[in-house]
Amino acid sequence: MDPRFAPKKPLDKQERVEATFDAIAAPMQSDLARIKVMAHLRKLVADGFAEWQTLDNGTIRLRLATGETYLLEQTTITRIA
């Protein structure tokens, strides 16, 4: 395993699965590229390398175990940390 992607600390399972894949991916089902990206992000979450949650405005916040945080919006991805 590439050490850059090894979790620094185990993520709390409850925190990792706060938002289900179906709830997060449902608004993005119309675009094949988005479906593929979301599938890869889902695998990161399932493998414990990331956690995600849906914010009140529908934006998805993705936090990688390495510390990077991204906002996944309808047409953009923004790195915030």
Side-chain angles (χ1 to χ4, degrees):
M1 175 187 302
D2 189 334
R4 293 177 297 160
F5 298 108
K8 292 181 180 176
K9 67 174 184 87
L11 297 174
D12 179 19
K13 184 170 179 119
Q14 180 181 10
E15 193 174 349
R16 282 190 294 138
V17 296
E18 179 178 325
T20 66
F21 174 73
D22 293 335
I24 287 176
M28 302 185 175
Q29 291 298 319
S30 61
D31 184 352
L32 182 58
R34 288 184 190 171
I35 293 169
K36 288 182 178 186
V37 168
M38 293 304 292
H40 288 289
L41 296 177
R42 176 186 186 194
K43 181 150 177 47
L44 288 175
V45 172
D47 291 344
F49 296 112
E51 59 189 33
W52 58 12
Q53 68 183 130
T54 304
L55 305 178
D56 291 337
N57 64 358
T59 299
I60 300 163
R61 182 172 53 209
L62 175 75
R63 184 175 73 86
L64 302 177
T66 55
E68 295 93 353
T69 303
Y70 298 88
L71 294 178
L72 310 176
E73 298 175 285
Q74 189 63 28
T75 59
T76 62
I77 297 176
T78 306
R79 182 177 177 180
I80 59 173

